Amino acid sequence: MTTPLNDPAWWQRGVIYQIYPRSFADESGDGIGDLEGIVRHLDHLAWLGVDALWTSPIFTSPMADFGYDVSNYTDIDPVFGTLETFDALIAAAHKRDIRVLLDWVPNHTSDRHPWFMASRGSRDNPYRDWYLWRDRPNNWRQAFRDAPAWTLDPRTGQYYLHHFLPQQPDLNWNNPAVRTAMHDVLRFWLDRGVDGFRADVVHLIGKDPALPDDPDDPVGSRVAWHYHPLTHEWLREIRAVLDSYPGDRMMVGEVNLSDNAQVASHAGPEQLHLAFDFTLTYAPWDARAFRESIAAVEDATSAAGSWPALVLSNHDVPRHRTRYGGDERRAMVAALILLTLRGTPFLYAGEELGLEDAKIPADRHVDPGGRDPQRAPIPWTSDPDHGWAGKPWLPWPPEPDTRNAVSQRRDTASIAALYRRLLRARHDDATLHGGSLELLDAPAGVLAYDRVGPAGRRRVLANFEDSPVEVVSEGSWRVSLATSRQREGEAFDGMLGGTAAVVLTPAD
């Protein structure tokens, strides 16, 4: 069993809400979400009870990868607004006690960034070594497609490395000048009042200087093969920048590695504050699979002395309701599990509405990684425009007439109402946001665990099967939270409905 936290930081006890800006809310009328749209809907986040929001990239970009190809790290792309609009967002969020995190892309820039444009100018340009150039490429492959991760630049007759699109050349973090420049990017935003960052594919910044070939029979994601321990050294430098600012600034890293121990090793007192563990995004709808995933995260983070960062959905994976066959009851059970586990939960905008992935016609596909369905726009109202000033850049997700924020917030039995109750309980209950976790034995098809902390013991029971099941628990318990709201406040009789979950508090 893990150890409870005595004095958790805000990023340990809080819940963080991811916004994909293009799809959140459009105020300008061009059909693309913008910063003004986020400001307009901050009250929804306050109603929900989140502690921080994180926006996917809003920096200046040609949008080859929709913002993950940055051409200017210290300005806002005009499609989203201006620096002044961003300052207004910071002020409006802080007024509501909501912190703001930015998505920082440290591994690569756009090929239109001035650094790369200078680097490709000649072999002796001072910026040449800011990127990775070779006369002969190794055998590395891209993440998005089965193609070489190297592109020949005819101007100088050398190849440059890009783990993602050719428009996203990798930076050379072994060059101290690159690290200094990227630290200055962090300082620019920290000086403007940003509370932290999500670091995109940050495990890739440390690369073996020799750039050796991949083995002939590698295992796992091709991008993960190129992880190198140098990353940890660069993370310590980044942490020193964050720690030089007041206010408990933080960074969560996308560490897309399949080994839980490797993921956890990137976080701790001198590195990332949090490292995303995506284990639950791969788990099928099965109690045993969830239990094994949770146990793997618990073992890895306990051994590393780090704190879990947990997620069910994001802009890169299908929404969890879609993965669970479209069943809203399953989505509600998963929400109760996520928000009662040990660690920091991250919510993806729209999951509190029970959204599914959109059906995208072939002629409207735009994302190079095929991730359009989970990036569909958020419906705010039941009106035909669903609260958007312009026609959205992607089609609506299913059922926008009822799966919208206004309708969901009016319905006290909705999934949005459940999320709100869960966030309030987690915020107010020191055991739920800081207690240890103990997995329990349970009948087949049931996931069971206790949270133990300064406020006492809380028991979580989740039935993954459609049929009711009896769960014997010693002592007397009261239902404090449930996916079926009518059960809340009653004495627990040992019966757990089909595809349902409860949080129990000792009755005496």
Side-chain angles (χ1 to χ4, degrees), residues 5-72:
L5 293 176
N6 293 321
D7 186 23
W10 74 262
W11 47 268
Q12 292 173 309
R13 65 178 181 269
V15 177
I16 300 175
Y17 184 93
Q18 180 193 358
I19 290 174
Y20 192 72
R22 297 180 69 89
S23 299
F24 193 68
D26 169 34
E27 285 293 297
S28 69
D30 64 358
I32 297 174
D34 45 48
L35 295 180
E36 288 285 1
I38 298 175
V39 172
R40 181 183 172 193
H41 293 290
L42 284 174
D43 286 341
H44 174 73
L45 275 63
W47 175 87
L48 194 60
V50 301
D51 298 270
L53 66 88
W54 140 43
T55 72
S56 291
I58 54 176
F59 308 134
T60 310
S61 168
M63 300 294 170
D65 189 17
F66 295 101
Y68 286 95
D69 50 317
V70 178
S71 58
N72 186 347

Side-chain angles (χ1 to χ4, degrees), residues 361-400:
D363 63 352
R364 296 193 67 178
H365 290 179
V366 291
D367 178 58
R371 298 160 295 183
D372 297 320
Q374 57 263 38
R375 299 179 178 186
I378 303 297
W380 292 100
T381 69
S382 56
D383 300 326
D385 62 10
H386 299 303
W388 279 58
K391 181 181 177 181
W393 69 297
L394 286 174
W396 297 107
E399 304 176 287

Side-chain angles (χ1 to χ4, degrees), residues 33-371:
D34 45 48
L35 295 180
E36 288 285 1
I38 298 175
V39 172
R40 181 183 172 193
H41 293 290
L42 284 174
D43 286 341
H44 174 73
L45 275 63
W47 175 87
L48 194 60
V50 301
D51 298 270
L53 66 88
W54 140 43
T55 72
S56 291
I58 54 176
F59 308 134
T60 310
S61 168
M63 300 294 170
D65 189 17
F66 295 101
Y68 286 95
D69 50 317
V70 178
S71 58
N72 186 347
Y73 283 100
T74 55
D75 204 356
I76 304 296
D77 194 278
V79 75
F80 299 125
T82 65
L83 282 171
E84 290 71 26
T85 319
F86 178 75
D87 291 341
L89 169 60
I90 289 274
H94 285 175
K95 184 178 180 180
R96 293 164 174 80
D97 294 323
I98 297 172
R99 292 176 168 86
V100 177
L101 279 59
L102 286 181
D103 210 324
W104 176 54
V105 187
N107 178 69
H108 47 266
T109 70
S110 166
D111 62 348
R112 300 188 199 176
H113 194 292
W115 298 343
F116 187 72
M117 293 172 70
S119 180
R120 75 192 315 178
S122 67
R123 292 194 181 202
D124 57 1
N125 188 281
Y127 283 91
R128 188 67 169 182
D129 194 42
W130 284 48
Y131 296 84
L132 294 153
W133 296 91
R134 293 293 183 272
D135 290 325
R136 293 184 179 181
N138 61 20
N139 66 354
W140 291 3
R141 313 292 287 182
Q142 295 178 43
F144 286 153
R145 59 191 67 169
D146 188 20
W150 296 86
T151 289
L152 176 65
D153 188 9
R155 303 176 212 198
T156 57
Q158 282 191 316
Y159 296 81
Y160 65 89
L161 176 67
H162 51 90
H163 270 95
F164 299 91
L165 300 176
Q167 298 95 323
Q168 295 170 289
D170 280 29
L171 284 162
N172 178 17
W173 273 72
N174 293 323
N175 184 337
V178 169
R179 301 200 300 275
T180 297
M182 293 303 275
H183 297 166
D184 287 344
V185 168
L186 297 178
R187 292 188 182 98
F188 176 87
W189 295 106
L190 291 166
D191 289 341
R192 294 193 92 91
V194 165
D195 299 287
F197 303 89
R198 178 262 191 185
D200 181 63
V201 291
V202 71
H203 58 291
L204 288 180
I205 63 175
K207 297 181 179 68
D208 187 336
L211 299 177
D213 278 347
D214 285 332
D216 292 333
D217 56 348
V219 176
S221 165
R222 62 169 64 94
V223 174
W225 308 330
H226 307 152
Y227 156 77
H228 190 273
L230 273 171
T231 295
H232 299 285
E233 185 174 342
W234 309 151
L235 290 179
R236 284 187 281 271
E237 292 182 359
I238 292 167
R239 180 61 177 264
V241 173
L242 294 167
D243 287 349
S244 69
Y245 281 78
D248 210 4
R249 316 293 177 98
M250 59 81 71
M251 182 176 288
V252 56
E254 180 191 21
V255 181
N256 204 355
L257 301 171
S258 58
D259 183 270
N260 300 92
Q262 275 195 335
V263 171
S265 73
H266 287 73
E270 295 183 350
Q271 298 186 80
L272 296 168
H273 297 77
L274 298 167
F276 279 121
D277 193 298
F278 298 113
T279 301
L280 287 176
T281 68
Y282 304 122
W285 186 250
D286 178 82
R288 180 179 295 179
F290 265 63
R291 180 189 174 94
E292 290 174 352
S293 297
I294 293 165
V297 173
E298 284 288 292
D299 290 346
T301 53
S302 297
S306 59
W307 184 250
L310 304 169
V311 59
L312 288 171
S313 295
N314 63 31
H315 63 298
D316 284 332
V317 299
R319 288 186 176 274
H320 61 274
R321 186 178 165 203
T322 295
R323 299 199 312 269
Y324 304 152
D327 190 328
E328 184 182 57
R329 297 175 306 157
R330 292 180 175 184
M332 295 173 83
V333 170
L336 188 143
I337 293 169
L338 176 72
L339 289 162
T340 57
L341 286 173
R342 189 182 75 97
T344 300
F346 285 74
L347 310 182
Y348 181 42
E351 71 176 74
E352 78 277 15
L353 308 179
L355 294 185
E356 295 182 80
D357 289 353
K359 305 296 184 185
I360 310 294
D363 63 352
R364 296 193 67 178
H365 290 179
V366 291
D367 178 58
R371 298 160 295 183

